[in-house]
Amino acid sequence: MISKLKVLFRHLWLDASDTARAIPPDLQERLAQRVTASEKRHSGEIRICVESSLPASYLWRLGGNTPIGALIRERALMMFGKLRVWDTEHNNGILVYLLLAEHAIEIVADRSVARHVSPDQWQAMVARMANAFRERRYEDGLTQALEECSALLMQHFAVPTGPGGAEPGPNELPDTPLLR
């Protein structure tokens, strides 16, 4: 019961101002520039979403048979749909979701990417980033996430370069992180 209360208070305590302090405007701009640069090298789309805490509708289900990790994953999947990351032309979008209250990261990949990358590879990537987020080094962790996601997209969805090479497709999703 005490751990459930601690989780509830942590989520109720944080709000959008905490997200803005963690990801200030200059960092938002640097992250957007990194996404833009990445997307010039492959046909995929990368979207970043940072939330301070889970909405109350998720927190009410906490406890019982629903662990916090399952709620975080469910929220990331919901944001994947809400932000239309699933709706890219080549079905190769990736959402990098960060939940500040839990220092948790989830990566959700569309079906074309999921065919090439195993769940174990995604979990290993998240584990490598976890320390940065626990230490509140959000720029380091998000930059690492972008670099690793970009490398995977380059490996499987690279845009040909050089004479006669293809140009990157249209930018289908905003490059600026969504902060909530």
Side-chain angles (χ1 to χ4, degrees), residues 13 23 57-58 68 84 120 128 138 162 169 172-173:
W13 183 261
I23 313 291
S57 61
Y58 285 76
I68 188 71
R84 303 187 64 84
D120 289 341
R128 286 189 294 274
Y138 302 116
E172 299 177 72
L173 298 173

Side-chain angles (χ1 to χ4, degrees), residues 22-39 46-50 96 98 133 138-147 174-179:
I23 313 291
D26 61 324
L27 175 52
Q28 289 177 51
E29 182 59 33
R30 286 191 302 276
L31 291 170
Q33 290 170 356
R34 289 178 180 131
V35 170
T36 300
S38 167
E39 290 178 355
I46 301 174
R47 191 76 208 268
I48 298 172
C49 176
V50 181
V96 177
L98 175 61
F133 294 126
Y138 302 116
E139 182 167 9
D140 294 345
L142 288 169
T143 298
Q144 182 177 0
L146 283 171
E147 288 172 358
D175 294 343
T176 303
L178 174 68
L179 306 182

Side-chain angles (χ1 to χ4, degrees), residues 16-179:
S17 66
D18 295 291
T19 306
R21 276 192 299 281
I23 313 291
D26 61 324
L27 175 52
Q28 289 177 51
E29 182 59 33
R30 286 191 302 276
L31 291 170
Q33 290 170 356
R34 289 178 180 131
V35 170
T36 300
S38 167
E39 290 178 355
K40 290 180 180 178
R41 300 184 321 237
H42 54 75
S43 63
E45 292 285 329
I46 301 174
R47 191 76 208 268
I48 298 172
C49 176
V50 181
E51 288 192 298
S52 60
S53 58
L54 291 172
S57 61
Y58 285 76
L59 295 173
W60 289 122
R61 299 185 327 208
L62 187 61
N65 294 333
T66 309
I68 188 71
L71 293 175
I72 295 167
R73 181 68 181 174
E74 184 180 320
R75 179 64 177 177
L77 289 168
M78 196 283 302
M79 293 305 293
F80 180 81
K82 184 176 182 175
L83 297 174
R84 303 187 64 84
V85 180
W86 60 271
D87 197 24
T88 62
E89 181 180 354
H90 301 290
N91 299 313
N92 58 357
I94 296 176
L95 173 68
V96 177
Y97 176 82
L98 175 61
L99 181 65
L100 297 178
E102 298 296 325
H103 308 290
I105 186 169
E106 289 285 337
I107 298 176
V108 183
D110 206 348
R111 56 194 167 272
S112 288
V113 180
R115 279 189 219 120
H116 298 286
V117 183
S118 73
D120 289 341
Q121 286 176 282
W122 291 120
Q123 287 300 72
M125 185 186 301
V126 168
R128 286 189 294 274
M129 293 174 243
N131 287 336
F133 294 126
R134 274 193 292 276
E135 295 170 3
R136 292 181 170 80
R137 293 183 294 115
Y138 302 116
E139 182 167 9
D140 294 345
L142 288 169
T143 298
Q144 182 177 0
L146 283 171
E147 288 172 358
E148 292 196 36
C149 289
S150 293
L152 289 170
L153 290 169
M154 285 280 301
Q155 181 180 354
H156 300 291
F157 304 98
V159 174
T161 58
E167 291 291 319
N171 192 9
E172 299 177 72
L173 298 173
D175 294 343
T176 303
L178 174 68
L179 306 182

